[in-house]
Short mmCIF file of all heavy atoms in Angstrom, two decimals:
data_model
loop_
_atom_site.label_atom_id
_atom_site.label_comp_id
_atom_site.label_asym_id
_atom_site.label_seq_id
_atom_site.Cartn_x
_atom_site.Cartn_y
_atom_site.Cartn_z
N ASN A 464 1.27 34.25 -2.64
CA ASN A 464 2.22 33.23 -2.18
C ASN A 464 3.37 33.02 -3.17
O ASN A 464 4.42 32.50 -2.79
CB ASN A 464 1.50 31.89 -1.95
CG ASN A 464 0.52 31.96 -0.80
OD1 ASN A 464 0.57 32.88 0.00
ND2 ASN A 464 -0.36 30.99 -0.70
N SER A 465 3.16 33.41 -4.43
CA SER A 465 4.21 33.27 -5.45
C SER A 465 5.09 34.50 -5.53
O SER A 465 5.96 34.59 -6.40
CB SER A 465 3.58 32.99 -6.82
OG SER A 465 2.76 31.85 -6.75
N GLY A 466 4.84 35.51 -4.68
CA GLY A 466 5.68 36.71 -4.67
C GLY A 466 5.31 37.72 -5.72
O GLY A 466 6.11 38.60 -6.05
N GLN A 467 4.09 37.61 -6.30
CA GLN A 467 3.65 38.57 -7.31
C GLN A 467 2.74 39.61 -6.67
O GLN A 467 2.24 39.42 -5.56
CB GLN A 467 2.92 37.84 -8.44
CG GLN A 467 3.78 36.77 -9.11
CD GLN A 467 2.99 35.94 -10.11
OE1 GLN A 467 1.94 36.35 -10.57
NE2 GLN A 467 3.50 34.77 -10.45
N ALA A 468 2.50 40.72 -7.41
CA ALA A 468 1.55 41.74 -6.93
C ALA A 468 0.15 41.20 -7.13
O ALA A 468 -0.32 41.09 -8.28
CB ALA A 468 1.74 43.04 -7.71
N PRO A 469 -0.56 40.80 -6.05
CA PRO A 469 -1.80 40.03 -6.23
C PRO A 469 -2.89 40.77 -6.99
O PRO A 469 -3.45 40.23 -7.95
CB PRO A 469 -2.24 39.71 -4.78
CG PRO A 469 -1.42 40.54 -3.88
CD PRO A 469 -0.20 40.95 -4.63
N ILE A 470 -3.22 42.02 -6.59
CA ILE A 470 -4.35 42.71 -7.22
C ILE A 470 -4.06 42.98 -8.69
O ILE A 470 -4.91 42.73 -9.57
CB ILE A 470 -4.65 44.03 -6.46
CG1 ILE A 470 -5.10 43.70 -5.04
CG2 ILE A 470 -5.71 44.84 -7.18
CD1 ILE A 470 -5.20 44.88 -4.11
N GLN A 471 -2.85 43.46 -9.00
CA GLN A 471 -2.48 43.75 -10.40
C GLN A 471 -2.50 42.48 -11.25
O GLN A 471 -3.05 42.48 -12.36
CB GLN A 471 -1.09 44.38 -10.41
CG GLN A 471 -0.62 44.79 -11.80
CD GLN A 471 0.83 45.26 -11.79
OE1 GLN A 471 1.37 45.56 -10.74
NE2 GLN A 471 1.44 45.32 -12.96
N THR A 472 -1.93 41.39 -10.72
CA THR A 472 -1.86 40.13 -11.49
C THR A 472 -3.25 39.60 -11.80
O THR A 472 -3.55 39.23 -12.95
CB THR A 472 -1.06 39.07 -10.68
OG1 THR A 472 0.18 39.63 -10.28
CG2 THR A 472 -0.82 37.83 -11.51
N VAL A 473 -4.12 39.55 -10.77
CA VAL A 473 -5.47 39.01 -10.98
C VAL A 473 -6.27 39.91 -11.93
O VAL A 473 -7.01 39.41 -12.79
CB VAL A 473 -6.20 38.82 -9.62
CG1 VAL A 473 -7.65 38.43 -9.84
CG2 VAL A 473 -5.49 37.77 -8.78
N ALA A 474 -6.12 41.22 -11.80
CA ALA A 474 -6.84 42.15 -12.70
C ALA A 474 -6.42 41.92 -14.15
O ALA A 474 -7.26 41.91 -15.07
CB ALA A 474 -6.56 43.59 -12.27
N GLU A 475 -5.11 41.74 -14.39
CA GLU A 475 -4.62 41.49 -15.76
C GLU A 475 -5.20 40.19 -16.32
O GLU A 475 -5.65 40.14 -17.47
CB GLU A 475 -3.09 41.41 -15.75
CG GLU A 475 -2.40 42.75 -15.65
CD GLU A 475 -0.89 42.60 -15.50
OE1 GLU A 475 -0.39 41.46 -15.61
OE2 GLU A 475 -0.21 43.62 -15.25
N ILE A 476 -5.18 39.11 -15.51
CA ILE A 476 -5.69 37.81 -15.98
C ILE A 476 -7.19 37.92 -16.28
O ILE A 476 -7.68 37.40 -17.29
CB ILE A 476 -5.45 36.71 -14.92
CG1 ILE A 476 -3.96 36.54 -14.61
CG2 ILE A 476 -6.04 35.37 -15.38
CD1 ILE A 476 -3.12 36.08 -15.76
N LYS A 477 -7.93 38.65 -15.42
CA LYS A 477 -9.37 38.81 -15.64
C LYS A 477 -9.64 39.51 -16.97
O LYS A 477 -10.49 39.08 -17.76
CB LYS A 477 -9.98 39.64 -14.50
CG LYS A 477 -10.64 38.80 -13.42
CD LYS A 477 -11.46 39.68 -12.50
CE LYS A 477 -12.36 38.80 -11.66
NZ LYS A 477 -13.20 39.55 -10.75
N SER A 478 -8.92 40.60 -17.21
CA SER A 478 -9.15 41.36 -18.46
C SER A 478 -8.78 40.51 -19.67
O SER A 478 -9.46 40.54 -20.70
CB SER A 478 -8.36 42.67 -18.44
OG SER A 478 -6.97 42.41 -18.45
N ARG A 479 -7.70 39.71 -19.55
CA ARG A 479 -7.31 38.84 -20.68
C ARG A 479 -8.34 37.74 -20.92
O ARG A 479 -8.62 37.39 -22.07
CB ARG A 479 -5.93 38.22 -20.41
CG ARG A 479 -4.77 39.19 -20.67
CD ARG A 479 -3.44 38.49 -20.50
NE ARG A 479 -3.27 37.39 -21.42
CZ ARG A 479 -2.31 36.47 -21.33
NH1 ARG A 479 -1.42 36.54 -20.35
NH2 ARG A 479 -2.22 35.49 -22.21
N GLN A 480 -8.90 37.19 -19.81
CA GLN A 480 -9.94 36.15 -19.99
C GLN A 480 -11.14 36.72 -20.75
O GLN A 480 -11.74 36.04 -21.60
CB GLN A 480 -10.39 35.60 -18.63
CG GLN A 480 -9.51 34.50 -18.08
CD GLN A 480 -10.28 33.53 -17.18
OE1 GLN A 480 -11.49 33.47 -17.22
NE2 GLN A 480 -9.55 32.74 -16.41
N VAL A 481 -11.50 37.98 -20.45
CA VAL A 481 -12.66 38.59 -21.11
C VAL A 481 -12.34 38.89 -22.57
O VAL A 481 -13.12 38.55 -23.47
CB VAL A 481 -13.07 39.89 -20.36
CG1 VAL A 481 -14.15 40.63 -21.15
CG2 VAL A 481 -13.56 39.56 -18.97
N THR A 482 -11.18 39.51 -22.84
CA THR A 482 -10.86 39.92 -24.21
C THR A 482 -10.54 38.73 -25.11
O THR A 482 -10.94 38.69 -26.27
CB THR A 482 -9.67 40.90 -24.23
OG1 THR A 482 -8.59 40.33 -23.49
CG2 THR A 482 -10.05 42.23 -23.60
N GLU A 483 -9.81 37.71 -24.55
CA GLU A 483 -9.42 36.56 -25.37
C GLU A 483 -10.43 35.43 -25.32
O GLU A 483 -10.30 34.44 -26.05
CB GLU A 483 -8.05 36.03 -24.89
CG GLU A 483 -6.90 37.03 -25.04
CD GLU A 483 -5.60 36.51 -24.43
OE1 GLU A 483 -5.43 35.27 -24.38
OE2 GLU A 483 -4.77 37.34 -24.01
N LYS A 484 -11.45 35.58 -24.44
CA LYS A 484 -12.47 34.52 -24.25
C LYS A 484 -11.80 33.16 -24.02
O LYS A 484 -12.16 32.16 -24.63
CB LYS A 484 -13.43 34.47 -25.45
CG LYS A 484 -14.32 35.68 -25.55
CD LYS A 484 -15.35 35.52 -26.66
CE LYS A 484 -16.39 36.63 -26.64
NZ LYS A 484 -15.85 37.98 -26.65
N ASN A 485 -10.81 33.18 -23.14
CA ASN A 485 -10.04 31.97 -22.86
C ASN A 485 -10.11 31.67 -21.35
O ASN A 485 -9.40 32.29 -20.55
CB ASN A 485 -8.58 32.18 -23.30
CG ASN A 485 -7.73 30.94 -23.06
OD1 ASN A 485 -8.21 29.92 -22.58
ND2 ASN A 485 -6.46 31.02 -23.41
N PRO A 486 -10.97 30.70 -20.92
CA PRO A 486 -11.12 30.42 -19.48
C PRO A 486 -9.95 29.62 -18.90
O PRO A 486 -9.99 29.25 -17.72
CB PRO A 486 -12.42 29.59 -19.44
CG PRO A 486 -12.48 28.91 -20.77
CD PRO A 486 -11.85 29.86 -21.75
N ARG A 487 -8.92 29.34 -19.70
CA ARG A 487 -7.78 28.55 -19.21
C ARG A 487 -6.66 29.44 -18.65
O ARG A 487 -5.64 28.92 -18.19
CB ARG A 487 -7.22 27.68 -20.33
CG ARG A 487 -8.20 26.67 -20.89
CD ARG A 487 -7.53 25.74 -21.89
NE ARG A 487 -6.97 26.47 -23.01
CZ ARG A 487 -7.67 26.85 -24.08
NH1 ARG A 487 -8.96 26.56 -24.17
NH2 ARG A 487 -7.09 27.50 -25.08
N LEU A 488 -6.83 30.76 -18.70
CA LEU A 488 -5.78 31.65 -18.23
C LEU A 488 -5.81 31.75 -16.70
O LEU A 488 -6.85 32.00 -16.11
CB LEU A 488 -5.95 33.05 -18.83
CG LEU A 488 -5.79 33.15 -20.36
CD1 LEU A 488 -6.14 34.54 -20.83
CD2 LEU A 488 -4.38 32.78 -20.78
N GLY A 489 -4.64 31.53 -16.08
CA GLY A 489 -4.55 31.57 -14.62
C GLY A 489 -3.25 32.23 -14.17
O GLY A 489 -2.54 32.84 -14.95
N ILE A 490 -2.95 32.08 -12.89
CA ILE A 490 -1.76 32.70 -12.30
C ILE A 490 -0.53 31.86 -12.64
O ILE A 490 -0.52 30.64 -12.42
CB ILE A 490 -1.90 32.80 -10.75
CG1 ILE A 490 -3.22 33.47 -10.36
CG2 ILE A 490 -0.71 33.53 -10.15
CD1 ILE A 490 -3.36 34.89 -10.81
N ASP A 491 0.50 32.52 -13.16
CA ASP A 491 1.75 31.83 -13.50
C ASP A 491 2.62 31.72 -12.23
O ASP A 491 3.57 32.47 -12.04
CB ASP A 491 2.48 32.61 -14.61
CG ASP A 491 3.79 31.95 -15.01
OD1 ASP A 491 3.97 30.76 -14.70
OD2 ASP A 491 4.64 32.63 -15.63
N CYS A 492 2.26 30.78 -11.35
CA CYS A 492 2.95 30.65 -10.05
C CYS A 492 4.42 30.26 -10.22
O CYS A 492 5.27 30.65 -9.42
CB CYS A 492 2.25 29.59 -9.19
SG CYS A 492 0.57 30.05 -8.74
N MET A 493 4.72 29.45 -11.23
CA MET A 493 6.07 28.93 -11.39
C MET A 493 6.95 29.82 -12.28
O MET A 493 8.06 29.44 -12.63
CB MET A 493 6.03 27.51 -11.99
CG MET A 493 5.16 26.53 -11.20
SD MET A 493 5.61 26.41 -9.47
CE MET A 493 7.13 25.52 -9.58
N ASN A 494 6.40 30.99 -12.69
CA ASN A 494 7.15 31.96 -13.52
C ASN A 494 7.69 31.30 -14.80
O ASN A 494 8.86 31.48 -15.15
CB ASN A 494 8.30 32.59 -12.72
CG ASN A 494 7.80 33.34 -11.50
OD1 ASN A 494 6.78 34.03 -11.58
ND2 ASN A 494 8.49 33.18 -10.38
N LYS A 495 6.81 30.58 -15.50
CA LYS A 495 7.24 29.91 -16.74
C LYS A 495 7.03 30.80 -17.97
O LYS A 495 7.36 30.40 -19.08
CB LYS A 495 6.47 28.59 -16.91
CG LYS A 495 6.88 27.53 -15.88
CD LYS A 495 6.21 26.21 -16.17
CE LYS A 495 6.68 25.13 -15.20
NZ LYS A 495 6.01 23.84 -15.41
N GLY A 496 6.41 31.96 -17.79
CA GLY A 496 6.24 32.88 -18.91
C GLY A 496 4.94 32.72 -19.65
O GLY A 496 4.68 33.45 -20.61
N SER A 497 4.09 31.77 -19.24
CA SER A 497 2.80 31.57 -19.91
C SER A 497 1.71 31.52 -18.84
O SER A 497 1.88 30.93 -17.78
CB SER A 497 2.81 30.26 -20.69
OG SER A 497 1.50 29.91 -21.08
N ASN A 498 0.56 32.15 -19.17
CA ASN A 498 -0.57 32.10 -18.24
C ASN A 498 -1.61 31.06 -18.65
O ASN A 498 -2.62 30.89 -17.96
CB ASN A 498 -1.24 33.48 -18.14
CG ASN A 498 -0.36 34.48 -17.40
OD1 ASN A 498 0.22 35.37 -17.99
ND2 ASN A 498 -0.25 34.31 -16.08
N ASP A 499 -1.36 30.38 -19.77
CA ASP A 499 -2.30 29.35 -20.22
C ASP A 499 -2.02 28.06 -19.44
O ASP A 499 -0.97 27.44 -19.59
CB ASP A 499 -2.16 29.11 -21.73
CG ASP A 499 -3.32 28.28 -22.27
OD1 ASP A 499 -3.77 27.36 -21.57
OD2 ASP A 499 -3.79 28.58 -23.39
N MET A 500 -2.98 27.67 -18.62
CA MET A 500 -2.78 26.52 -17.73
C MET A 500 -2.77 25.19 -18.50
O MET A 500 -2.23 24.21 -18.01
CB MET A 500 -3.87 26.48 -16.65
CG MET A 500 -3.79 27.64 -15.68
SD MET A 500 -2.27 27.67 -14.71
CE MET A 500 -1.44 29.11 -15.32
N ARG A 501 -3.32 25.19 -19.71
CA ARG A 501 -3.24 23.95 -20.52
C ARG A 501 -1.80 23.73 -20.97
O ARG A 501 -1.31 22.61 -20.97
CB ARG A 501 -4.17 24.05 -21.72
CG ARG A 501 -4.20 22.75 -22.54
CD ARG A 501 -4.88 22.96 -23.88
NE ARG A 501 -6.32 22.91 -23.76
CZ ARG A 501 -7.15 23.16 -24.77
NH1 ARG A 501 -6.66 23.51 -25.95
NH2 ARG A 501 -8.45 23.09 -24.60
N GLU A 502 -1.13 24.83 -21.34
CA GLU A 502 0.28 24.71 -21.75
C GLU A 502 1.16 24.33 -20.56
O GLU A 502 2.14 23.60 -20.70
CB GLU A 502 0.77 26.05 -22.33
CG GLU A 502 0.17 26.38 -23.68
CD GLU A 502 0.61 27.76 -24.16
OE1 GLU A 502 1.59 28.31 -23.60
OE2 GLU A 502 -0.04 28.30 -25.08
N GLN A 503 0.83 24.84 -19.37
CA GLN A 503 1.61 24.53 -18.17
C GLN A 503 1.23 23.17 -17.57
O GLN A 503 1.86 22.72 -16.61
CB GLN A 503 1.41 25.62 -17.11
CG GLN A 503 2.11 26.92 -17.43
CD GLN A 503 2.47 27.69 -16.16
OE1 GLN A 503 2.65 27.13 -15.10
NE2 GLN A 503 2.58 29.00 -16.29
N HIS A 504 0.19 22.54 -18.11
CA HIS A 504 -0.30 21.23 -17.63
C HIS A 504 -0.71 21.30 -16.16
O HIS A 504 -0.42 20.40 -15.36
CB HIS A 504 0.75 20.13 -17.82
CG HIS A 504 1.30 20.05 -19.21
ND1 HIS A 504 0.48 19.85 -20.31
CD2 HIS A 504 2.56 20.16 -19.69
CE1 HIS A 504 1.22 19.84 -21.40
NE2 HIS A 504 2.48 20.03 -21.06
N VAL A 505 -1.39 22.40 -15.78
CA VAL A 505 -1.93 22.52 -14.42
C VAL A 505 -3.40 22.14 -14.48
O VAL A 505 -4.24 22.90 -14.96
CB VAL A 505 -1.75 23.96 -13.87
CG1 VAL A 505 -2.32 24.07 -12.46
CG2 VAL A 505 -0.28 24.34 -13.88
N ILE A 506 -3.69 20.92 -14.04
CA ILE A 506 -5.02 20.34 -14.24
C ILE A 506 -5.61 19.93 -12.89
O ILE A 506 -4.92 19.38 -12.04
CB ILE A 506 -4.93 19.09 -15.15
CG1 ILE A 506 -4.32 19.47 -16.50
CG2 ILE A 506 -6.29 18.46 -15.36
CD1 ILE A 506 -3.97 18.27 -17.36
N GLU A 507 -6.91 20.21 -12.70
CA GLU A 507 -7.61 19.77 -11.50
C GLU A 507 -8.88 19.03 -11.93
O GLU A 507 -9.39 19.23 -13.03
CB GLU A 507 -7.98 20.97 -10.62
CG GLU A 507 -6.78 21.70 -10.04
CD GLU A 507 -7.20 22.79 -9.07
OE1 GLU A 507 -8.00 22.50 -8.17
OE2 GLU A 507 -6.72 23.92 -9.22
N THR A 508 -9.40 18.21 -11.03
CA THR A 508 -10.61 17.46 -11.37
C THR A 508 -11.83 18.35 -11.18
O THR A 508 -11.88 19.18 -10.26
CB THR A 508 -10.75 16.21 -10.47
OG1 THR A 508 -10.79 16.62 -9.11
CG2 THR A 508 -9.59 15.26 -10.67
N LEU A 509 -12.82 18.16 -12.05
CA LEU A 509 -14.07 18.92 -11.94
C LEU A 509 -14.77 18.60 -10.62
O LEU A 509 -15.32 19.48 -9.96
CB LEU A 509 -14.98 18.60 -13.13
CG LEU A 509 -16.36 19.23 -13.10
CD1 LEU A 509 -16.28 20.74 -13.27
CD2 LEU A 509 -17.27 18.64 -14.17
N SER A 510 -14.74 17.32 -10.22
CA SER A 510 -15.45 16.90 -9.00
C SER A 510 -14.89 17.63 -7.78
O SER A 510 -15.64 18.00 -6.87
CB SER A 510 -15.34 15.39 -8.81
OG SER A 510 -13.99 14.97 -8.83
N SER A 511 -13.57 17.87 -7.74
CA SER A 511 -12.96 18.57 -6.61
C SER A 511 -13.43 20.02 -6.54
O SER A 511 -13.79 20.52 -5.48
CB SER A 511 -11.43 18.52 -6.73
OG SER A 511 -10.82 19.31 -5.73
N LYS A 512 -13.44 20.71 -7.70
CA LYS A 512 -13.87 22.11 -7.74
C LYS A 512 -15.35 22.25 -7.35
O LYS A 512 -15.74 23.15 -6.59
CB LYS A 512 -13.67 22.69 -9.14
CG LYS A 512 -12.27 23.24 -9.37
CD LYS A 512 -12.13 24.62 -8.76
CE LYS A 512 -10.70 25.11 -8.84
NZ LYS A 512 -9.84 24.65 -7.79
N ARG A 513 -16.17 21.35 -7.87
CA ARG A 513 -17.61 21.40 -7.54
C ARG A 513 -17.82 21.22 -6.05
O ARG A 513 -18.60 21.93 -5.42
CB ARG A 513 -18.36 20.30 -8.29
CG ARG A 513 -18.56 20.56 -9.77
CD ARG A 513 -19.18 19.35 -10.43
NE ARG A 513 -20.50 19.10 -9.91
CZ ARG A 513 -21.63 19.15 -10.62
NH1 ARG A 513 -21.56 19.47 -11.89
NH2 ARG A 513 -22.78 18.91 -10.08
N ALA A 514 -17.11 20.22 -5.49
CA ALA A 514 -17.27 19.93 -4.06
C ALA A 514 -16.83 21.12 -3.22
O ALA A 514 -17.46 21.46 -2.21
CB ALA A 514 -16.48 18.68 -3.68
N GLN A 515 -15.72 21.79 -3.63
CA GLN A 515 -15.25 22.96 -2.89
C GLN A 515 -16.32 24.04 -2.82
O GLN A 515 -16.60 24.59 -1.75
CB GLN A 515 -13.99 23.53 -3.56
CG GLN A 515 -12.71 22.80 -3.21
CD GLN A 515 -11.50 23.49 -3.80
OE1 GLN A 515 -11.42 24.70 -3.83
NE2 GLN A 515 -10.55 22.72 -4.27
N ILE A 516 -16.92 24.35 -3.98
CA ILE A 516 -17.94 25.41 -4.02
C ILE A 516 -19.15 25.02 -3.17
O ILE A 516 -19.62 25.80 -2.33
CB ILE A 516 -18.38 25.68 -5.49
CG1 ILE A 516 -17.19 26.12 -6.35
CG2 ILE A 516 -19.50 26.70 -5.54
CD1 ILE A 516 -16.60 27.45 -5.97
N MET A 517 -19.66 23.80 -3.37
CA MET A 517 -20.88 23.37 -2.67
C MET A 517 -20.68 23.32 -1.16
O MET A 517 -21.51 23.82 -0.39
CB MET A 517 -21.32 21.99 -3.17
CG MET A 517 -21.77 21.95 -4.61
SD MET A 517 -23.09 23.14 -4.98
CE MET A 517 -24.42 22.52 -3.98
N LEU A 518 -19.55 22.73 -0.72
CA LEU A 518 -19.32 22.60 0.73
C LEU A 518 -19.11 23.97 1.38
O LEU A 518 -19.63 24.24 2.47
CB LEU A 518 -18.10 21.70 0.99
CG LEU A 518 -18.29 20.21 0.71
CD1 LEU A 518 -16.96 19.47 0.78
CD2 LEU A 518 -19.27 19.59 1.69
N ALA A 519 -18.35 24.85 0.71
CA ALA A 519 -18.10 26.19 1.28
C ALA A 519 -19.40 26.98 1.39
O ALA A 519 -19.64 27.65 2.41
CB ALA A 519 -17.09 26.94 0.40
N VAL A 520 -20.27 26.89 0.36
CA VAL A 520 -21.54 27.63 0.39
C VAL A 520 -22.46 27.07 1.46
O VAL A 520 -23.12 27.82 2.19
CB VAL A 520 -22.21 27.60 -1.01
CG1 VAL A 520 -23.63 28.12 -0.94
CG2 VAL A 520 -21.40 28.44 -1.98
N GLN A 521 -22.52 25.74 1.58
CA GLN A 521 -23.39 25.13 2.60
C GLN A 521 -22.98 25.60 4.00
O GLN A 521 -23.84 25.96 4.82
CB GLN A 521 -23.30 23.62 2.53
CG GLN A 521 -24.08 23.00 1.37
CD GLN A 521 -23.75 21.53 1.18
OE1 GLN A 521 -23.25 20.88 2.08
NE2 GLN A 521 -24.05 21.01 0.00
#
Side-chain angles (χ1 to χ4, degrees):
N464 293 345
S465 304
Q467 302 174 19
I470 296 170
Q471 182 186 344
T472 308
V473 173
E475 283 174 7
I476 300 296
K477 262 192 167 181
S478 65
R479 282 185 61 192
Q480 276 209 18
V481 172
T482 52
E483 297 174 27
K484 292 186 171 53
N485 182 0
R487 299 186 300 276
L488 296 173
I490 308 297
D491 180 18
C492 295
M493 305 305 288
N494 300 319
K495 290 186 177 177
S497 167
N498 289 107
D499 193 321
M500 294 296 112
R501 184 192 279 175
E502 289 176 16
Q503 287 207 26
H504 308 303
V505 180
I506 302 170
E507 295 185 50
T508 59
L509 175 68
S510 54
S511 174
K512 274 280 173 277
R513 285 174 64 117
Q515 279 185 39
I516 300 294
M517 294 305 295
L518 288 171
V520 169
Q521 284 169 19

